[in-house]
Amino acid sequence: MRYKDFYVRITPDKYIPRVDKKGNKILCDGFLIQIFADKNEQVEIDNFTAAVGFEILEDSLAEAVQFAKDYIDCEGKFIDLKS
């Protein structure tokens, strides 16, 4: 998808490591989110994950898309990288 002159790839991921409230390491469903500067996805600017129950509430592509948009909106560093 394209958002604010960036190209975003969102891929389902079933093995996102997190630590629960008790301190136990667990694997969660969620999404890998990659942000690129170019249409061909050759220049990766950032990548991160959104795990269900941590960064997002539901295993929903729509929720992952909104999370990615919110992340881009909050990260001022992207502006400098595109200049």
Side-chain angles (χ1 to χ4, degrees):
M1 100 178 159
R2 187 169 183 192
Y3 182 68
K4 291 191 174 183
D5 294 328
F6 297 100
Y7 296 87
V8 181
R9 182 191 310 159
I10 300 175
T11 309
D13 190 341
K14 295 195 173 287
Y15 304 102
I16 299 173
R18 292 294 186 266
V19 176
D20 68 12
K21 292 179 182 180
K22 295 179 181 180
N24 300 312
K25 294 180 182 180
I26 58 173
L27 294 177
C28 302
D29 288 348
F31 299 88
L32 169 63
I33 301 169
Q34 297 169 284
I35 301 173
F36 298 92
D38 63 320
K39 184 177 181 178
N40 296 325
E41 299 179 348
Q42 298 296 313
V43 181
E44 185 176 283
I45 295 174
D46 203 353
N47 71 63
F48 52 94
T49 55
V52 176
F54 289 84
E55 293 81 19
I56 57 177
L57 296 176
E58 299 175 5
D59 193 1
S60 157
L61 181 59
E63 196 166 339
V65 166
Q66 187 59 53
F67 183 77
K69 288 178 179 180
D70 292 345
Y71 185 85
I72 290 169
D73 289 341
C74 289
E75 289 294 319
K77 67 182 179 182
F78 292 144
I79 294 168
D80 296 334
L81 291 171
K82 286 295 286 186
S83 300

